Amino acid sequence: MALSNDDQIKEIIVIGAGVIGLTTALKIQEQGTYRVTIVAENFPTDPKSIRYTSHWAGAHHVSHAYNDQNQRKLDQDTFHALWQLSGPGSAAEGCFLRHTQTEYHGDDLTDAEWLHYMPDFKYLDTNELRGPAKMGFSFSTVTMNTPIYLNWLMSSFLAKNGTILRVSLQHISQLLERGTSPYTGAHSYRAVDAIVVCAGLGARNLGGVEDKDVYPIRGQTVLLRAPWIKFGRTMTEADGTYTYTMPRSNGDVLCGGTRVPNDWYPVPRPEITEDILARALQLTPELVPPQTCVDREPTVEDLRPIIIEPGCGLRPGRKGGIRLEVEWVDAPTRGKVPVVYNYGHSGYGFLSSWGSASKALELLEDALATGAPTNAEIGVEHPSGNLGN
Ligand SMILES: Cc1cc2nc3c(=O)[nH]c(=O)nc-3n(C[C@H](O)[C@H](O)[C@H](O)COP(=O)(O)OP(=O)(O)OC[C@H]3O[C@@H](n4cnc5c(N)ncnc54)[C@H](O)[C@@H]3O)c2cc1C
């Protein structure tokens, strides 16, 4: 039985419970005029899985927007939100570590103008450079302890009456006819007013989306226990090799990295783990436990006792960048329904999450306010014309 939707309260389904789905669901819910359900195959409370990228991220806010003005705005808006959330006394403070980040460049980068808004930004003097670096800069930023932060997002959503439902969807149309009722077994249902797709890499195969511009960019890491490290460093070399050491609020440090397009391999490769340990040690020799080697050079062997786990995740890359747009799709029994897309965040999902969520909300509200475009508006002259054989 279809329950009538209260005009004031719209029924929204968000597909995906990674950092993008959770942040977007929270942002929509905050308006107070929507009932929001998250439908996903994987949740932050699950064990880590190759099907859920967000668990594997660092994650720090170090924007790589360069000259892309849209990306700059998403990243900058997100930084302001994260800085606020990480502030002393904030409910989410424990998810974050505020720290000094130093970026070293052995490539051809000459300036970092797009990062000038970051607190305490400054270029390094030549005598502060290390290894193959030809230039560098530092600023204050945050890292998120990702498993904790994702759970904080989800519990905030639940605390505000959000609903979650575990479903592995084959096609978005499975939600269009009778909402989530096919999966809950409920006899009554509310019609869906809009769907928001935040399926990450899943957007490649999810029916009704099937975006073949989406592809994996595999990243491998090693998580260490080094609570004495309270600063972050990244080295980008001339050949594109990049190495980072990212401290988290709980004393863990995530070391990486690799970026390999179209590599779907689902578990850490041992030889890459060794390479990451060697590079991380070169960049940040302070990783070695204090007092371990007072009278000799540190080696990778000194890091083995503090290894928590190697890891790897598949970043949801997308040719053309993040997809943030609306389409109207036919919903059986009730005309057209807007579908908002918010996926394809590659290696910057955390650092552009709040900006992307705000943009998705704006697209959603505009669509609901203006309604479906008419056939004339979308240029269809004879919608029921000759369909052929
Ligand atoms: C090693 C590594 C380091 C990184 N470091 C950083 C960093 O420092 N800073 C940063 O900003 N980013 C970083 N990233 C990138 C970041 O992790 C991603 O951009 C982000 O996690 C993408 O989030 P998402 O929500 O789009 O995808 P996901 O986290 O993969 O979530 C996708 C969701 O969609 C659901 N889903 C998909 N298909 C279906 C379906 N058919 N039916 C039901 N549910 C479905 C999944 O179950 C899941 O809940 C890093 C990534 C890696 C791998």
Side-chain angles (χ1 to χ4, degrees), residues 187-224:
H187 294 299
S188 58
Y189 66 91
R190 287 193 173 76
V192 183
D193 290 296
I195 288 180
V196 186
V197 179
C198 305
L201 192 55
R204 188 179 164 86
N205 292 317
L206 175 60
V209 183
E210 292 160 300
D211 185 342
K212 297 307 177 202
D213 285 338
V214 173
Y215 64 99
I217 307 175
R218 186 176 179 280
Q220 191 165 320
T221 56
V222 187
L223 190 63
L224 301 180

Side-chain angles (χ1 to χ4, degrees), residues 292-320:
T292 304
C293 38
V294 267
D295 52 0
R296 62 175 174 80
E297 287 296 303
T299 73
V300 164
E301 294 311 309
D302 298 316
L303 295 180
R304 297 207 195 281
I306 58 168
I307 294 177
I308 299 172
E309 60 172 5
C312 73
L314 303 178
R315 302 175 183 93
R318 182 169 182 270
K319 289 175 206 155

Side-chain angles (χ1 to χ4, degrees), residues 6 29 59 84 152 166 282-283 311 329 356 359:
D6 177 340
Q29 190 187 45
Q84 216 169 355
W152 178 80
R166 189 186 298 274
Q282 200 168 29
L283 176 65
V329 299
S356 300
K359 182 69 192 167

Side-chain angles (χ1 to χ4, degrees), residues 27-354:
K27 193 84 201 170
I28 296 170
Q29 190 187 45
E30 270 172 15
Q31 305 312 301
T33 47
Y34 303 104
R35 197 175 357 248
V36 187
T37 301
I38 298 178
V39 171
E41 183 184 335
N42 307 88
F43 286 91
T45 41
D46 297 347
K48 288 178 178 172
S49 142
I50 197 66
R51 299 182 71 81
Y52 185 79
T53 308
S54 296
H55 263 159
W56 299 108
H60 59 192
H61 192 299
V62 178
S63 168
H64 292 275
Y66 301 100
N67 289 325
D68 182 335
Q69 299 302 327
N70 290 333
Q71 190 64 47
R72 280 190 188 198
K73 175 153 174 44
L74 299 180
D75 297 356
Q76 193 163 351
D77 288 353
T78 304
F79 180 72
H80 292 313
L82 296 177
W83 196 251
Q84 216 169 355
L85 284 174
S86 64
S90 147
E93 184 188 356
C95 305
F96 296 90
L97 181 71
R98 287 183 173 187
H99 65 92
T100 301
Q101 174 71 19
T102 308
E103 296 278 305
Y104 300 96
H105 281 266
D107 57 6
D108 292 335
L109 192 74
T110 51
D111 76 82
E113 186 264 319
W114 74 93
L115 282 168
H116 285 182
Y117 68 88
M118 297 298 279
D120 311 312
F121 182 94
K122 72 174 183 67
Y123 289 101
L124 301 184
D125 292 333
T126 319
N127 62 3
E128 294 175 290
L129 298 175
R130 8 180 5 110
K134 293 187 282 187
M135 68 88 80
F137 42 91
S138 67
F139 49 87
S140 297
T141 188
V142 291
T143 48
M144 283 144 273
N145 184 345
T146 50
I148 305 295
Y149 178 60
L150 291 162
N151 276 290
W152 178 80
L153 289 172
M154 191 165 90
S155 54
S156 304
F157 174 74
L158 291 171
K160 291 175 190 150
N161 287 327
T163 304
I164 59 172
L165 186 66
R166 189 186 298 274
V167 177
S168 179
L169 288 169
Q170 293 161 294
H171 198 286
I172 56 171
S173 64
Q174 292 173 322
L175 300 170
L176 285 170
E177 197 164 329
R178 287 181 168 76
T180 56
S181 66
Y183 302 101
T184 60
H187 294 299
S188 58
Y189 66 91
R190 287 193 173 76
V192 183
D193 290 296
I195 288 180
V196 186
V197 179
C198 305
L201 192 55
R204 188 179 164 86
N205 292 317
L206 175 60
V209 183
E210 292 160 300
D211 185 342
K212 297 307 177 202
D213 285 338
V214 173
Y215 64 99
I217 307 175
R218 186 176 179 280
Q220 191 165 320
T221 56
V222 187
L223 190 63
L224 301 180
R225 182 75 193 147
W228 50 90
I229 301 292
K230 300 290 181 203
F231 56 85
R233 285 182 188 153
T234 307
M235 171 72 74
T236 306
E237 298 181 44
D239 65 359
T241 304
Y242 89 119
T243 307
Y244 55 77
T245 54
M246 271 185 226
R248 288 179 176 172
S249 55
N250 66 345
D252 295 349
V253 177
L254 191 78
C255 305
T258 62
R259 269 192 287 234
V260 186
N262 295 310
D263 181 354
W264 292 88
Y265 194 64
V267 293
R269 293 189 176 99
E271 64 279 14
I272 294 178
T273 299
E274 291 304 305
D275 180 49
I276 290 172
L277 287 171
R279 285 192 277 128
L281 182 65
Q282 200 168 29
L283 176 65
T284 309
E286 299 92 327
L287 283 169
V288 166
Q291 309 303 324
T292 304
C293 38
V294 267
D295 52 0
R296 62 175 174 80
E297 287 296 303
T299 73
V300 164
E301 294 311 309
D302 298 316
L303 295 180
R304 297 207 195 281
I306 58 168
I307 294 177
I308 299 172
E309 60 172 5
C312 73
L314 303 178
R315 302 175 183 93
R318 182 169 182 270
K319 289 175 206 155
I322 302 170
R323 184 175 185 199
L324 269 164
E325 62 183 352
V326 182
E327 258 178 12
W328 287 84
V329 299
D330 289 320
T333 71
R334 64 179 315 242
K336 288 185 182 296
V337 167
V339 176
V340 177
Y341 300 101
N342 184 12
Y343 63 79
H345 292 73
S346 188
Y348 34 85
F350 284 82
L351 71 92
S352 60
S353 52
W354 288 98

